[in-house]
Amino acid sequence: MFLLFCFLSSCFLIFTTARFRRSSCQAATLPPGPPRLPIIGNIHQIGQNPHRSLADLSKTYGPIMSLKLGCLNSVVIGSPEAAREVLKTHDQILSGRKSTNSIRSINHHEASVAWLPPSSARWRLLRKLSASLMFSPQRIEATKALRMKKMQELVNFVSESSEREEAVDISRVSFITVLNIISNILFSVDFGSYDSKTSNEFQDTVIGTMEAAGKPDAADYFPFLGFLDLQGNRKSMKHCTERLFRVFRGFMDAKIALRNESTDVSNIDFLDSLLALTQGDESEIDSNDIEHLLLDMFAAGTDTTSSTVEWAMAELLKNPKRMAKAQAEIDSVVGQNGVVKETDISEMPYLQAVVKETLRLHPAVPLLLPREAEGDVEILGFTVPKDAQVLVNVWAIGRDPNVWENPTRFEPERFLGKEIDVKGKDCELTPFGAGRRICPGLPLAVKIVALMLASLLYSFDWKLPNGVVSEDLDMEETFGITLHKTNTLHAIPVKKRAIIL
């Protein structure tokens, strides 16, 4: 017995010593990071605006930084070089998803193109359907007339406000415009109305979904606390998404009921195409897949696009000379009594620079969606351990003084004559991500933002209400998955020319 005890003790000692050496070796190659408190680690240093607090920490600990957030190992990326390693060089091993507690509360991580791992067949199918049925060049071209129609409706509404000398809620009208574009592509109907409170409720629901998904949650750091829902994120997520799912189910039921009564195939929308795939014994998708795919389209397509338009208008109102420069370019391309068309945008390099500069300063998803390392991987000489959460702080990269001159100033001119773009090849400007996880809706989003911005600037001059001067314009932001302007932008339109109805 004594010899057996000695043998087992020796084995235990050898095992623990080897394990300690391995962990010590790994710890020695982990990215640097701030000191950690017992149990909570670095949670106290995150705050309500993680993109800002993490950017501040990176100034001390470098462009690749490790944090311990409760039980969660996290690595924060804060430079273009490190971002390129994550988004391109090691994209395959770092393209998993670290889903949040609120996302798991509705099982969205099991049926979402945004949250499923790319290694799964389900992700590949949903990604293919999104690309081919909604975001392919052919589909985007087919919906050009729809976008033009919705822009004219926007201009008409703003014109009526101008006649009454009323301030326009830029956040609301841009959201309704994008909402109706997306809802027509998906369901062939308008979801929003500029004169209806229902549109406000829909906007609040979508924003509530994004905030619940993105706000810091104790259960993400200590999974055993999930059932307590201390921040109320699970409750908020379930409430918001159930409202959306009820709307989706209503359209699905109506289309299924009419399927055998109509033979018209000239106006097939996204939902029609998806429902066709549910037919037969070997159907590729079911109604649950459709609900979650539609949730992705609404959450990712409406809120992010409309908030970018609002930030762009806010920056231009804060910089009147640059607004005048953008308007002069639009006037020179469109003429004095025309209508802005999508084909005009390619002839407006300054407007395109305005959009890029807005996305640099105000990326819609400032930390992108959290990635998960599917194995140990070396980034710039440091080890990112398996199962670690990887956050790419595109907000910090966009304001890095080592990358950008006058990084906090709104200067669209910095992009003139340069090839840098937002399509994922330039890692100093990747608001839509890059690699396999790049946002599939990027081509449509960029078209809508530029067209809406050009339409508002062509038809109207703009001024701030209540005697607010441009220098004092509030630019406070609220963090969720998307970055919103805390206080929505209101501006008074002044009609420049007759509006073509």
Side-chain angles (χ1 to χ4, degrees):
M1 291 294 292
F2 176 72
L3 292 174
L4 179 62
F5 174 77
C6 291
F7 174 75
L8 293 175
S9 298
S10 299
C11 291
F12 178 75
L13 181 61
I14 293 170
F15 172 76
T16 53
T17 300
R19 185 177 180 183
F20 175 78
R21 286 176 177 170
R22 284 197 304 271
S23 63
S24 298
C25 180
Q26 185 187 63
T29 60
L30 285 176
R36 304 165 178 176
L37 293 178
I39 301 176
I40 67 170
N42 304 108
I43 291 177
H44 63 293
Q45 296 171 295
I46 298 300
Q48 292 299 311
N49 291 300
H51 59 297
R52 288 183 175 271
S53 55
L54 294 175
D56 289 339
L57 288 171
S58 291
K59 293 175 183 176
T60 300
Y61 298 99
I64 175 167
M65 173 178 65
S66 63
L67 301 172
K68 187 75 170 179
L69 305 177
C71 301
L72 180 62
N73 290 318
S74 294
V75 174
V76 181
I77 302 300
S79 76
E81 295 77 18
R84 184 174 292 105
E85 292 286 299
V86 171
L87 302 176
K88 293 187 174 182
T89 306
H90 301 289
D91 176 43
Q92 184 168 355
I93 198 169
L94 292 173
S95 59
R97 277 283 184 246
K98 181 67 75 172
S99 59
T100 64
N101 180 49
S102 56
I103 288 293
R104 293 191 297 273
S105 72
I106 60 169
N107 295 321
H108 196 50
H109 62 299
E110 297 177 352
S112 162
V113 70
W115 294 94
L116 279 165
S119 57
S120 71
R122 176 65 52 184
W123 180 86
R124 290 192 292 273
L125 172 62
L126 296 177
R127 178 81 177 198
K128 181 183 74 172
L129 293 177
S130 302
S132 61
L133 300 180
M134 189 162 180
F135 300 124
S136 68
Q138 295 80 9
R139 288 297 302 158
I140 291 176
E141 180 65 23
T143 54
K144 181 193 293 186
L146 166 66
R147 291 190 292 279
M148 287 298 301
K149 179 182 178 182
K150 297 308 166 187
M151 293 304 158
Q152 191 61 58
E153 291 173 2
L154 167 65
V155 169
N156 292 344
F157 173 78
V158 174
S159 179
E160 293 172 2
S161 299
S162 174
E163 292 173 357
R164 297 190 296 266
E165 298 184 351
E166 291 179 351
V168 171
D169 184 338
I170 302 297
S171 171
R172 181 173 181 272
V173 298
S174 58
F175 181 87
I176 292 170
T177 304
V178 179
L179 172 65
N180 285 340
I181 291 173
I182 299 297
S183 66
N184 272 276
I185 293 173
L186 298 180
F187 307 115
S188 302
V189 297
D190 285 343
F191 266 24
S193 168
Y194 297 107
D195 300 314
S196 171
K197 292 183 178 179
T198 303
S199 302
N200 283 351
E201 294 172 1
F202 203 93
Q203 183 176 9
D204 291 342
T205 299
V206 172
I207 291 176
T209 300
M210 300 299 276
E211 289 184 349
K215 281 185 175 179
D217 192 319
D220 294 331
Y221 312 138
F222 303 102
F224 60 87
L225 296 176
F227 73 99
L228 295 176
D229 194 22
L230 296 175
Q231 281 76 36
N233 287 335
R234 290 175 65 93
K235 180 180 179 181
S236 178
M237 175 64 79
K238 288 181 178 179
H239 173 72
C240 292
T241 55
E242 185 52 41
R243 292 181 65 184
L244 294 175
F245 285 155
R246 281 199 299 270
V247 173
F248 301 159
R249 290 179 197 127
F251 280 101
M252 291 166 64
D253 292 343
K255 284 182 176 292
I256 291 172
L258 292 172
R259 179 181 294 153
N260 297 325
E261 299 179 15
S262 175
T263 58
D264 181 17
V265 295
S266 62
N267 188 30
I268 298 297
D269 55 38
F270 186 70
L271 182 56
D272 289 321
S273 299
L274 293 178
L275 288 173
L277 298 176
T278 65
Q279 301 302 296
D281 297 332
E282 298 182 1
S283 58
E284 295 183 271
I285 57 175
D286 58 26
S287 59
N288 182 68
D289 294 322
I290 294 176
E291 287 178 14
H292 286 270
L293 185 55
L294 293 174
L295 177 60
D296 279 340
M297 297 302 169
F298 267 101
T302 55
D303 181 42
T304 55
T305 306
S306 60
S307 66
T308 300
V309 172
E310 182 184 17
W311 280 118
M313 287 294 292
E315 288 289 1
L316 290 171
L317 281 162
K318 197 172 178 64
N319 297 269
K321 290 182 179 179
R322 291 188 165 93
M323 175 179 279
K325 188 173 180 178
Q327 289 176 312
E329 178 186 69
I330 298 168
D331 288 348
S332 69
V333 172
V334 180
Q336 290 302 307
N337 295 297
V339 174
V340 179
K341 300 181 177 64
E342 279 190 2
T343 52
D344 296 329
I345 303 300
S346 62
E347 301 177 48
M348 301 177 185
Y350 192 76
L351 179 75
Q352 295 176 51
V354 166
V355 174
K356 292 177 186 178
E357 182 73 340
T358 301
L359 290 168
R360 179 185 72 84
L361 286 171
H362 310 284
V365 185
L367 298 177
L368 300 183
L369 291 183
R371 293 180 172 229
E372 183 177 51
E374 297 180 349
D376 290 355
V377 61
E378 184 176 308
I379 303 291
L380 301 183
F382 298 107
T383 298
V384 176
K386 184 179 184 296
D387 298 327
Q389 170 182 257
V390 181
L391 299 172
V392 180
N393 194 344
V394 293
W395 184 91
I397 294 172
R399 294 168 182 250
D400 186 347
N402 296 317
V403 179
W404 307 97
E405 186 177 353
N406 301 321
T408 61
R409 292 175 57 179
F410 182 77
E411 297 180 349
E413 292 79 4
R414 71 176 80 242
F415 290 106
L416 295 179
K418 297 183 179 179
E419 296 296 322
I420 186 170
D421 212 332
V422 298
K423 298 179 180 178
K425 65 181 180 69
D426 303 298
C427 287
E428 59 266 49
L429 189 67
T430 53
F432 296 95
R436 291 192 296 173
R437 284 296 192 184
I438 194 170
C439 174
L442 185 159
L444 180 61
V446 170
K447 283 182 178 294
I448 293 175
V449 169
L451 183 60
M452 194 185 310
L453 198 56
S455 299
L456 292 174
L457 296 176
Y458 174 72
S459 300
F460 308 97
D461 287 320
W462 295 86
K463 61 182 181 179
L464 293 168
N466 304 321
V468 177
V469 296
S470 58
E471 294 82 1
D472 296 333
L473 179 61
D474 169 47
M475 301 292 277
E476 288 296 313
E477 56 196 19
T478 297
F479 181 87
I481 276 187
T482 52
L483 199 62
H484 293 106
K485 199 171 177 300
T486 302
N487 299 303
T488 57
L489 176 66
H490 290 76
I492 299 174
V494 179
K495 195 181 300 185
K496 293 166 58 179
R497 51 178 58 82
I499 304 301
I500 301 175
L501 299 176

